[in-house]
Amino acid sequence: MRKYLITASAAALLIALPQLSPAQENASDTYRQLKLFSEVFERVRADYVEEVSDQQLIEYAIQGMLSTLDPHSSYLNADSFGDMRVQTKGEFGGLGIEVTMENGFIKVVSPIDETPAAKAGVKPGDYITHLDGEPILGLSLNEAVEKMRGPVNTDLTVTIRRENEEPFDLTITRDVIKIQSVRNRVEDNVGYVRITTFNQQTMPGLEKAMQEIKAEVGDQLRGYVVDLRNNPGGLLDQAVDVSDAFIDQGEIVSTRGRQTDDAQRFNATPGDLADGLPVIVLINGGSASASEIVAGALQDHRRAIIMGTKSFGKGSVQTIIPLGLSGAMRLTTARYFTPSGRSIQALGIDPDILVEQATVEQAAAARPGRREADLPGALANPNEQNGIDEGTTPEGEAHNLSEAAEQDYQLARAIDLLRGLALYNQRVVN
C-alpha cells in the first residue's frame, strides 16, 4: 500500500509541474551554457599561470567563437578594423599577402603583385608554418596576421612548406603596400588588363585602362585579355561593376543567406566597355572570391572564354558588422551563386580551356626550333620574290610580344587564341 501511495504522489507532482515550451527550454539551456562560460571565465581569471586582462579574455572568447564557424569569420579589434578599412581603399601596411587558415596553418591564397611577399618568391598554395621561428599552430588567423604586420622596413622570417619541397625560410622586409589594382598594356594589338585585387579603385582603374588601350590601338584592336590570376578578391560591389562592364543584360551574381528574405540579385545594365570584341579571362588557383564572381558571370553569359586552371573556390560572402568602439566582426552571412545557379564554394571555376602555367624551359621547348629557312643555302620562297609575304598576320604585321608575354605561357596562349578568333572573323566577313 505504501508503495502505491508514493507512486501516486510522484504522479501528482509531475502533473502539477508546468509544461515548458520549446522556446523556454532553449532559453533555459542557453542560460546554463552562459553560466558554464562564466564559470570558466572566472576560473581562468583566478588560476591561470599568468595574469590576463578581462579585455583579452573576452576578445579571445569572441575570436574563438567566430573563427571556429568557418575560415573567413573573425573578430577585428579596433586596430584591425582600422587596418581593414584602409586596405579596402587600396593602401595598407604589411607583406602584401592574402592568406586563409587551413589545418592550423596559414595558407597563401595569393601574393599581391609588386609587394615584398611577391618579390620574395611566395606562391599561391604555400603554407606558412613559423614566423620568426615561432610556430603558427594554435594561433587564430587574425593573431597570425597581426604577427605578420609591423613597422615599415622591419624584417620577418617566414617558414614556408611547399608541395614536394623541404620547408625553407624566407626573410621579407615589411613595407607600405600601395595597390594599383589595375594595370594595362598592349600585346600585338590585344589589350591586356591585369586586375590584382578588388578595392574601391578597381572600376575607375578598369575604365581608364580600356580607354588607354582603345586610344593606342584604335580599329586594329583584336580583343582583350583580363588577367585575374592570383587575385584574392575584395569588394563585392566592385566585382559586380567589373562584370557589368562586359555584360549588357541579365543576372551577374546572386547571394543567398540563412533566411529566404536575405536573397539578393545583382543585374547588368546596358553597355559593353569592350564594344563586343572577344574577351579571354585568365584564372588559376590563386583567383578567389570576387575574381570567381567575375569569371563565373562572364562564363555563364558566354561573354568570355575562361582560360588557365581551376580557381580557389571561395563562394561565401562576409559582412563587416561594426561593434562600436570595440572594433567589428567579419561574419559569413551568405553564399553567392553564378547566373546559372552554380555555387562555387569549395569547387571553384573550371576553365573552358585548361592551360597549365609552364616553366620557362617548357615554354621555350614549345617554341619552334630550327626551320627550313634557317638552313644554309635554303631555297627562297617564290611568293616572297613576287612581293607576297606569307609570314605576316592578316593585317600585314608580324607577331610581336613583349618579353614578359613570351615568358608567360598562359598569356601567350590567350593572345594566340585571340589572333585565331580575329582571323576567323575576318574570313567570315570577307
Side-chain angles (χ1 to χ4, degrees), residues 93-352:
L95 303 179
I97 183 173
E98 178 75 13
V99 295
T100 187
M101 182 71 79
E102 187 173 297
N103 299 324
F105 296 111
I106 297 297
K107 184 177 182 179
V108 177
V109 175
S110 66
I112 300 169
D113 288 356
E114 304 300 322
T115 62
K119 293 175 181 178
V122 178
K123 296 182 179 181
D126 284 349
Y127 286 90
I128 299 176
T129 61
H130 293 72
L131 298 173
D132 281 337
E134 296 293 327
I136 281 179
L137 195 64
L139 299 179
S140 69
L141 179 61
N142 268 12
E143 288 171 337
V145 169
E146 283 297 322
K147 286 182 176 292
M148 286 189 280
R149 293 172 179 165
V152 173
N153 294 326
T154 59
D155 291 339
L156 177 70
T157 300
V158 298
T159 302
I160 302 288
R161 194 181 74 192
R162 186 174 293 166
E163 188 177 7
N164 301 324
E165 294 186 25
E166 291 294 321
F168 59 93
D169 289 341
L170 285 177
T171 298
I172 307 175
T173 302
R174 297 181 179 94
D175 199 357
V176 174
I177 310 301
K178 295 182 179 180
I179 301 177
Q180 181 184 348
S181 63
V182 181
R183 298 184 179 89
N184 64 279
R185 64 177 188 264
V186 173
E187 295 282 357
D188 197 20
N189 286 348
V190 169
Y192 172 77
V193 179
R194 166 75 176 146
I195 303 177
T196 60
T197 188
F198 289 87
N199 58 34
Q200 294 176 5
Q201 308 304 318
T202 300
M203 190 57 204
L206 176 64
E207 293 173 335
K208 180 181 177 183
M210 301 284 276
Q211 291 170 359
E212 291 176 352
I213 290 170
K214 292 175 183 178
E216 180 176 346
V217 184
D219 295 338
Q220 301 301 313
L221 187 61
R222 292 189 174 110
Y224 296 89
V225 175
V226 179
D227 190 350
L228 299 179
R229 292 174 298 177
N230 298 333
N231 181 323
L235 300 176
L236 173 63
D237 65 332
Q238 293 295 301
V240 170
D241 288 346
V242 168
S243 302
D244 192 7
F246 300 98
I247 300 173
D248 272 326
Q249 60 182 354
E251 185 179 300
I252 293 173
V253 66
S254 63
T255 63
R256 305 175 199 172
R258 181 174 173 179
Q259 307 296 332
T260 55
D261 294 342
D262 294 337
Q264 286 185 292
R265 297 183 184 278
F266 299 87
N267 296 312
T269 56
D272 178 2
L273 280 184
D275 300 319
L277 289 173
V279 177
I280 294 176
V281 175
L282 290 176
I283 61 171
N284 65 3
S287 306
S289 191
S291 298
E292 295 170 294
I293 290 176
V294 175
L298 270 58
Q299 186 179 55
D300 283 0
H301 281 277
R302 298 185 180 181
R303 181 60 189 92
I305 297 171
I306 311 302
M307 180 181 286
T309 56
K310 183 190 286 286
S311 64
F312 183 76
K314 179 181 177 293
S316 61
V317 179
Q318 282 69 47
T319 300
I320 304 299
I321 304 171
L323 302 173
L325 299 177
S326 299
M329 59 190 292
R330 179 192 285 116
L331 187 66
T332 299
T333 54
R335 292 181 174 88
Y336 72 76
F337 296 80
T338 70
S340 65
R342 291 182 294 163
S343 171
I344 297 163
Q345 178 60 31
L347 295 178
I349 296 287
D350 287 309
D352 299 312

Side-chain angles (χ1 to χ4, degrees), residues 59 74-94 142 145-146 149 177 200 320-330:
E59 286 191 4
S74 61
Y75 171 69
L76 304 172
N77 61 28
D79 291 338
S80 298
F81 186 33
D83 290 344
M84 187 273 303
R85 284 182 291 186
V86 170
Q87 180 174 340
T88 59
K89 293 179 181 178
E91 179 177 332
F92 60 97
N142 268 12
V145 169
E146 283 297 322
R149 293 172 179 165
I177 310 301
Q200 294 176 5
I320 304 299
I321 304 171
L323 302 173
L325 299 177
S326 299
M329 59 190 292
R330 179 192 285 116

